[in-house]
Amino acid sequence: MLLTRRGVLAIAGLGASGALSGCFGGSDDGNSGSSNGDGGEAATSTPTPTPTPTPTPEAGTELAYPTLAQRMADVWSELDWFATEYSSTMRSFVITVNQLRTRLDELNASTGISLEQVDAVEAESTDVVDFVEANLAPHFDVHPALLKADNVYLNNIRRAVRRGDREAQRSALERARLFYRRVVSSPYVQNELSKRPIYDTLYSKLLAPEAGDHVFGLLYPDEGFLSVAHPDLTESTAGDGVQQHSHEFPSGHVVYAHAHGHSQPHTLTDHQNDPESRELYAYKGGGITILEDTKLWRSGLDDFKPLHEDVFGPIRHPDRTAGACVTVNGMTANFTSLPVYIQRFDSVTAARQARDELFRNPAGTSGTETLAERSWHRFFYQLGDVTMYAYLITVGEFVVTAMPHPNSWERRTEEFARLTGTWLGLSPGQPESG
């Protein structure tokens, strides 16, 4: 499918899919432990849970990671807005603009236009500006004419009325009518006020300062919201070099934080770049699943089948207030997007309590490790008869769990560097505070 700039992505099968549920948690202190805090257990051994007391915040501050806590809150606020308010906001935007369009239509039907009529149009334009400033400008790079009541279109009408130039009045009026008709059209909303892909405020908040381009899958199951965020690189032939797209596997699982140049059409079987581990994370109704190559003797992504279903299922806390998953990938052709599961709670205290309960049940912790320049708990839990190894950090009101896998921490470290380029990471030399 060919799309224009900032077009809606073709995400196969996502419209009917559900996603992970989850929520946020408290803030860990900065007490970093050794990456071998368990004394170097064998990769095949079953860890023994150890009691983990609630960390004591650093002296003089409620949160050990204030910068990360603010970033986490900012990311959640934007994601939550798209999941819960975007659709109703767009409807209200159309209604508000259409009220202005009605005034413009009245002018167009008039045999003569007075300055009083232009004043009435400008009053309606003020309502549009007020709405856009409050509801759209925080999330999008909106057209300048939507942020000024006496914009160029209305000024041209006023100038022509003052001069008594009927031809200039009609010309200016028609340009204004065309502009406001365009900004509420489906193509304009889909391209410039887009929820798929999301490329403005939320995308910038998902990145660490000075980080390179990424693709983020956004899964907010409580509201049935599925989307993707990336820097305005779509499936187009515009020569931007990167084309974001999705693939659905025969099992119905979908990978969509995936980007590279490709021909049209481009199917799953076009790929010969199997992941080196012969496994990948994919999404389907109930959550994130690990798919495994079932035919190692040949190269073909259509041979991947579910190995571990709904990997975050056992750690969904019943006291969460909301939850989401963000999958992280670079601008590459590979399928190694990493899942980050976010659970939100009512307060910092509630998040810390939930974290401690997770540490006791279903499994426990085994030391800490530095990921993206911050200390994360090495966390393990049972998924059926398999032990899953993951990383967990509490940040303000959020509990964040990343990259669960049956391979122990010691056997998979290099891929986690990708988190450094996200809101969870720090640029080299960047201070935590501030």
Side-chain angles (χ1 to χ4, degrees):
M1 181 177 68
L2 302 181
L3 299 180
T4 58
R5 188 179 75 89
R6 296 180 175 171
V8 178
L9 298 177
I11 301 183
L14 289 183
S17 298
L20 294 179
S21 65
C23 176
F24 294 146
S27 175
D28 284 315
D29 68 9
N31 296 330
S32 298
S34 165
S35 62
N36 293 316
D38 54 5
E41 65 192 2
T44 57
S45 65
T46 300
T48 301
T50 55
T52 305
T54 301
T56 302
E58 294 172 347
T61 180
E62 181 184 6
L63 303 178
Y65 293 135
T67 301
L68 180 56
Q70 184 60 57
R71 283 193 197 162
M72 187 71 259
D74 289 345
V75 165
W76 181 263
S77 177
E78 282 295 303
L79 178 56
D80 185 71
W81 183 85
F82 274 97
T84 63
E85 299 184 40
Y86 173 87
S87 295
S88 61
T89 299
M90 290 301 108
R91 288 192 294 269
S92 296
F93 172 62
V94 171
I95 291 171
T96 304
V97 172
N98 280 344
Q99 291 171 345
L100 171 57
R101 292 179 61 196
T102 297
R103 290 287 189 179
L104 291 171
D105 289 343
E106 290 172 356
L107 292 193
N108 191 56
S110 300
T111 56
I113 303 175
S114 67
L115 288 176
E116 288 75 16
Q117 288 176 300
V118 178
D119 291 338
V121 170
E122 191 169 303
E124 295 288 354
S125 177
T126 299
D127 291 342
V128 171
V129 170
D130 290 344
F131 182 90
V132 170
E133 286 182 339
N135 298 282
L136 297 183
H139 312 286
F140 302 104
D141 183 15
V142 298
H143 194 290
L146 294 173
L147 294 171
K148 189 175 182 182
D150 56 340
N151 58 46
V152 62
Y153 298 101
L154 301 189
N155 273 336
N156 286 342
I157 297 173
R158 184 180 296 277
R159 183 183 304 111
V161 170
R162 282 175 174 166
R163 293 173 177 173
D165 187 334
R166 294 293 184 88
E167 182 177 348
Q169 291 174 25
R170 297 302 174 189
S171 176
L173 182 58
E174 184 59 23
R175 286 195 296 271
R177 294 174 70 212
L178 287 173
F179 170 75
Y180 287 108
R181 183 190 312 163
R182 181 170 66 93
V183 297
V184 294
S185 67
S186 293
Y188 185 90
V189 170
Q190 291 171 352
N191 291 330
E192 303 300 328
L193 306 172
S194 174
K195 68 173 181 179
R196 185 180 296 157
I198 298 170
Y199 49 80
D200 285 325
T201 303
L202 176 56
Y203 175 72
S204 67
K205 290 182 181 298
L206 287 165
L207 287 177
E210 303 177 8
D213 291 338
H214 284 62
V215 178
F216 299 96
L218 308 173
L219 317 174
Y220 197 125
D222 297 346
E223 301 294 333
F225 180 76
L226 301 167
S227 190
V228 65
H230 59 73
D232 190 21
L233 300 170
T234 66
E235 283 194 347
S236 69
T237 56
D240 57 24
V242 180
Q243 298 166 19
Q244 197 283 328
H245 59 286
S246 64
H247 285 296
E248 183 173 356
F249 291 80
S251 61
H253 293 81
V254 178
V255 172
Y256 64 101
H258 175 65
H260 65 96
H262 57 79
S263 60
Q264 299 287 356
H266 181 61
T267 67
L268 187 66
T269 55
D270 292 334
H271 283 270
Q272 297 298 318
N273 58 327
D274 291 4
E276 292 183 8
S277 66
R278 317 297 289 197
E279 295 178 351
L280 53 83
Y281 293 100
Y283 167 75
K284 190 178 179 181
I288 295 291
T289 291
I290 296 176
L291 303 185
E292 178 188 43
D293 190 350
T294 58
K295 296 180 180 179
L296 298 177
W297 53 271
R298 73 181 185 187
S299 178
L301 285 166
D302 53 332
D303 293 329
F304 278 69
K305 300 293 188 295
L307 177 63
H308 302 293
E309 295 267 15
D310 195 13
V311 294
F312 291 112
I315 60 171
R316 293 191 186 112
H317 197 280
D319 293 339
R320 66 189 185 277
T321 61
C325 184
V326 177
T327 58
V328 180
N329 202 358
M331 289 294 184
T332 67
N334 65 43
F335 288 84
T336 55
S337 58
L338 304 178
V340 177
Y341 176 46
I342 306 165
Q343 300 188 73
R344 187 188 188 197
F345 295 86
D346 285 331
S347 66
V348 172
T349 299
R352 291 173 178 168
Q353 290 174 345
R355 173 206 57 202
D356 293 344
E357 290 171 9
L358 289 173
F359 286 171
R360 293 190 296 268
N361 180 30
T365 62
S366 185
T368 61
E369 187 163 337
T370 299
L371 297 178
E373 301 191 33
R374 292 184 173 93
S375 180
W376 292 61
H377 292 279
R378 300 204 303 186
F379 175 52
F380 58 89
Y381 58 94
Q382 292 301 119
L383 179 67
D385 59 355
V386 176
T387 299
M388 301 298 289
Y389 298 83
Y391 296 89
L392 183 147
I393 190 171
T394 46
V395 185
E397 301 164 8
F398 307 94
V399 172
V400 182
T401 308
M403 304 165 291
H405 196 275
N407 283 349
S408 64
W409 309 286
E410 297 83 2
R411 297 173 60 189
R412 51 187 192 103
T413 57
E414 67 284 346
E415 64 188 32
F416 303 145
R418 194 170 306 140
L419 291 183
T420 303
T422 74
W423 81 100
L424 296 169
L426 287 168
S427 296
Q430 180 192 11
E432 159 59 28
S433 61

